[in-house]
Amino acid sequence: MAKKVITFGEVMMRLSPPGYEKFSQASSFELVYGGGEANVAISCAYLGMKAAHVTRFPDNALGKAATQFLRKHWLSTEHIIYGDNMMGKYFLEKGAVHRSSEVIYEREGSSFSLIKPSMVDWKDVLKDADWFHWTGITPAISQGAASCCLDAIKTANELGITVSGDINSRSNMWKYGKTMQEIIPDLVQNTNVVITSSRGIREMFNLGNSDDKFQDLAKQLINVYPKVKKVIKKTRRIMSASHHQIQGKLWNGQKYIKTDMLNITHIIDRVGTGDAFAAGLIYGLLHYDDEQALDFASAACALKHTVPGDVNIVSLENVRSLLEGNTSGAIKR
């Protein structure tokens, strides 16, 4: 039977100038929907898992359109809540060669930011799940979102469901009176698989120092939070906006694992690549050993760079083909 993953977080409208135009050149915008956690769920669905996303949309045509987008990509939407009237959105200007991408957010006062814990029955949502995933973006949006996320994590613990958190966040997102140092540790202490960075561990938990390597910081994190069983990092080297290299690293309490460096020379769209990595990791850890899971996550991440839009819609066959060394791009007949 297929494994089931549940994710929780905001889904926004993404508005981009056509191609690689700058905002000042645009006379129209291309529209897609996306949000870190929903991107993970969609990627898992395309890999053959059952997947559902929990969010709150405005009770209007935009909220219904966003719901249709999730359904189109194989997600169960039975636990979506509707209320208020504003959809979170962001504007993306895609970079090229030596020009970086630029993002402008408009999410304050969105329907999701006004969510309250009483709106979600997590025992019902998680009753048949194998995995729950959250990110550090969600608790940064509002106190209600943070409290709802904590309720979900604790319920998953009670039900024996594995919890993963992609906890990297940005301090300038926290605008409701709390800092990430006040909120994130409470969420992580009940999380089993943590995706983060060396900087994230130092900043959020006040652990280690600038000389410590990722492996050392991961050991310290597990010592402080014993429910954390694996700490994972995705390293990215940027040669230009169109040419990156990525590598996965994992500490499981006993062994330090890292993948070969994957070379990505012609980037189509790098938005959502971290979510593709997280989805690949979830699939991998549910089906393979740690080393194979990390390779799978890195391959899924690399493939997302070739897919326009926020979500990684590659198949299980696509990822396995790359893992087998098939990088020719030849037509499949």
Side-chain angles (χ1 to χ4, degrees), residues 234 236 246 262-264 267 269 273 276-277 296-307 312 314 322:
K234 174 175 60 61
R236 180 184 296 274
I246 60 166
L262 282 171
N263 205 36
I264 307 163
I267 293 173
D269 196 332
T273 55
F277 180 85
F296 190 94
S298 297
C301 175
L303 286 170
K304 170 59 189 76
H305 291 77
T306 71
V307 180
N312 197 24
V314 301
L322 180 57

Side-chain angles (χ1 to χ4, degrees), residues 274-290:
D275 305 324
F277 180 85
L281 187 70
I282 291 168
Y283 183 92
L285 291 174
L286 282 169
H287 295 87
Y288 309 125
D289 63 29
D290 287 354

Side-chain angles (χ1 to χ4, degrees), residues 219-236:
K219 287 179 182 177
Q220 293 178 55
L221 186 66
I222 287 177
N223 286 338
V224 175
Y225 300 100
K227 282 189 180 178
V228 177
K229 303 303 180 185
K230 304 179 197 297
V231 185
I232 298 97
K233 173 184 179 180
K234 174 175 60 61
T235 298
R236 180 184 296 274

